[in-house]
Amino acid sequence: MASDIDRLLAPPWALPGEADARLLGYLRDEDWASAQTLLRDAVAAPEVKPVWLVLLAYARFRDATEVMVDELPGACRECLALLDRAGELGAPMDGVGPLRDAVERALDEVSREELRLTSQLGDNDDAARLSDDDLEACAFILSGAAPARAAGLFSQLAARASGPKAVVARARGALCLVQAGRRDEAQPLLEAAFAQDWTQPGLSAERLVLESVETALLESAEGDDFTALWRLAEERGQALRFPFPSAWPNQEKLLARCLALGDGPRARAVARRIEDGRHELSRALTDAISRARRARA
């Protein structure tokens, strides 16, 4: 970034407590996830400093361009909203300008790509004119803002494919249906995906997709079904060397589900995994972990 933004982002930031030192470490280590966790709590405070908003936009943008690239469209829009709010609170335009320019360029590029792909869709999102690669890219681009449409595109991709590629495409489509609030429609697709042998070549590399499928199924399971499914998910995680649950979003969903079901032991197990695997915990997650410790056996 240009010198103006460097000066704006330079410490001290007057974050609460010892947070300045923690944030400085995260930024130096390029630990964008931990930086965002810390800053999201900070900007939720009644009296927020404009530099905190700029810092959050910066960390979110770096994370989306370097790590969570599938989230880039939504991340860019969030960054622009954060920078607008920072400007309203007095952040200097010459300092914010370089970051805004970078975000707008990235959003323009991804928007152009989205337009290029979606303009080739026919009636009812018929993707016959798209290559397999472009169809997959289009589905990923739409998965954030239009998950129902993305589900339809993943279904078309699955119909073209065979073997592991078809399994993964159907699973991704099912997860998009869940995101779109169409869980009843997604359920049989999730169950079919779960029934596959994910240790086979072509599927073992997609272990995160499997864990997301397992999480979606557990979110609606109860009683003995929940217990049996959880145990099987743990066994599969061990077989794939991907301890269940590993992905941060899945951990948080499952902690909430265990608490809702009053499953103290599993809630505490997930809480320990969260604490062991993260440098920074949000206030909401800290509260959930405290409730897990107090939950009955």
Side-chain angles (χ1 to χ4, degrees), residues 26-48:
Y26 299 149
L27 297 179
R28 285 176 173 169
D29 294 341
E30 298 187 353
D31 183 352
W32 309 122
S34 295
Q36 288 179 82
T37 298
L38 185 156
L39 289 163
R40 288 193 187 284
D41 275 347
V43 302
E47 295 185 5
V48 57

Side-chain angles (χ1 to χ4, degrees), residues 64-95:
T65 54
E66 299 172 15
V67 184
M68 307 298 290
V69 292
D70 291 342
E71 298 180 2
L72 185 58
C76 286
R77 295 184 180 95
E78 181 185 2
C79 289
L80 292 175
L82 289 165
L83 294 177
D84 285 342
R85 187 179 168 201
E88 293 170 359
L89 293 177
M93 293 306 298
D94 56 349

